[in-house]
Amino acid sequence: MASEVEVPFTKQMRIATKEIHNVSDALINAKLGIAMTEDRVWAEGLLVFYEVFRYLEEALDRHSHTLIGELDIPGMRRTEAFEKDLCYYLGNDWKNGYTPRESVCQYLKHLEKIEEENPYFLMSYIYHLYMGLLSGGQILRRKKVLLEKLTFSRKDTVEGMAVTEIADGSVSKIKRQMTESMNQIAGEMDEDTRQRLMDESKMVFILNNRMVHSIEGAGAVVTIKIIKLGVYGALAVLLFTYLKKFLTGLSLATPSSSALPSSI
């Protein structure tokens, strides 16, 4: 009788977080995806996640001698890219007088708490946040590129999107290595630690959602876009009606061939 095939730990994580993950995806698309044409909203989104990614990368340095270091895949770190984008949108002095908002502070406090309890619990955050950026971030980047093309931009690069730019097009490679490393590390953990990693996986998206909810202005941007679409639609209808009447009147005013006088 064939032995039962064990489900990879990363797939177990994906199954366990499916519901809250879907909520998070919808929220990020609503807040950032639709409103990403507004620099202010996009910059605010960068700002809330910057602190979390910076904390995790500093934690990777602190625990590089442990199994956590196996998740530090070459090319994945994003802190410098975040800072480059924030300088682009907010200016080089953006850190002057800057303090993280409450939702970000609560997120960081939670990370500090679990790191003190057991640093391995941070692996849920490292895995989900970087995999999310490598996946969803690329989708947002493609949207930005498309918008640049629609505005007939002659720029060769997408400015302000360094955080989504992966050198040498190695996105799939990094994702594969991270998945393999996470599964390997989980195989060396006891059942209690694996279960806690599952629990923290859900908390990742809960805390993400709280931060994304705090991004101001996205709702107003979406509303304005809807209003603009409505106005443009109304103008299109009026223009079509006018042209139809004009062409109809022109047709009536033009004498038919039977009405023309015969030549003498």
Side-chain angles (χ1 to χ4, degrees):
M1 181 176 179
S3 59
E4 184 178 349
V5 178
E6 184 178 355
V7 178
F9 187 71
T10 52
K11 185 173 183 179
Q12 294 179 44
M13 294 168 78
R14 188 165 63 250
I15 294 172
T17 61
K18 182 178 180 180
E19 185 175 345
I20 185 64
H21 195 166
N22 289 340
V23 172
S24 185
D25 283 347
L27 181 60
I28 288 176
N29 284 331
K31 286 278 188 173
L32 297 179
I34 298 176
M36 68 179 300
T37 52
E38 295 294 325
D39 288 351
R40 179 175 58 84
V41 176
W42 181 249
E44 198 173 347
L46 291 172
L47 200 58
V48 296
F49 279 100
Y50 162 70
E51 296 289 350
V52 177
F53 276 86
R54 185 177 70 165
Y55 183 96
L56 293 176
E57 291 180 9
E58 290 174 351
L60 283 168
D61 290 334
R62 288 192 292 271
H63 305 288
S64 60
H65 60 289
T66 70
L67 287 173
I68 296 175
E70 298 297 317
L71 290 180
D72 193 4
I73 312 299
M76 80 167 198
R77 292 202 179 201
R78 299 286 90 192
T79 296
E80 290 185 6
F82 268 103
E83 292 176 347
K84 180 179 179 180
D85 286 343
L86 287 169
C87 285
Y88 173 79
Y89 290 113
L90 305 178
N92 293 330
D93 59 347
W94 67 271
K95 289 185 179 181
N96 295 342
Y98 158 72
T99 54
R101 66 193 64 195
E102 181 62 24
S103 59
V104 177
C105 291
Q106 291 300 320
Y107 203 134
L108 297 178
K109 285 180 182 178
H110 182 75
L111 294 179
E112 291 170 357
K113 178 182 177 182
I114 64 174
E115 183 180 2
E116 183 177 353
E117 182 181 353
N118 187 339
Y120 286 147
F121 297 159
L122 292 175
M123 291 191 296
S124 294
Y125 296 83
I126 295 170
Y127 177 78
H128 287 295
L129 282 167
Y130 284 90
M131 289 294 281
L133 184 58
L134 290 167
S135 299
Q138 296 306 302
I139 294 174
L140 292 176
R141 182 179 180 82
R142 286 194 289 271
K143 287 183 178 179
K144 185 73 170 178
V145 170
L146 178 60
L147 287 171
E148 293 284 355
K149 290 181 178 179
L150 291 175
T151 55
F152 303 101
S153 173
R154 296 183 179 180
K155 296 177 182 178
D156 294 328
T157 59
V158 183
E159 294 181 293
M161 295 287 286
V163 74
T164 65
E165 184 176 346
I166 306 298
D168 303 322
S170 57
V171 173
S172 59
K173 180 181 178 182
I174 295 175
K175 290 170 65 176
R176 183 176 66 254
Q177 289 179 330
M178 180 166 286
T179 299
E180 291 173 352
S181 296
M182 189 72 231
N183 285 328
Q184 183 177 353
I185 293 169
E188 301 183 34
M189 300 292 172
D190 58 53
E191 186 57 36
D192 288 341
T193 302
R194 286 196 293 270
Q195 182 56 51
R196 182 59 183 273
L197 287 172
M198 288 287 187
D199 295 339
E200 290 300 329
S201 291
K202 297 175 184 177
M203 185 58 67
V204 171
F205 296 103
I206 291 173
L207 294 174
N208 285 353
N209 292 350
R210 289 176 184 171
M211 287 201 308
V212 175
H213 269 300
S214 73
I215 298 174
E216 300 176 356
V221 169
V222 174
T223 300
I224 291 172
K225 287 179 180 292
I226 292 173
I227 293 173
K228 285 183 176 179
L229 286 174
V231 171
Y232 293 153
L235 289 174
V237 171
L238 288 173
L239 180 60
F240 176 78
T241 303
Y242 171 79
L243 288 174
K244 184 178 180 181
K245 289 182 177 180
F246 175 77
L247 293 174
T248 301
L250 185 63
S251 176
L252 293 175
T254 303
S256 63
S257 58
S258 59
L260 292 175
S262 59
S263 56
I264 300 175

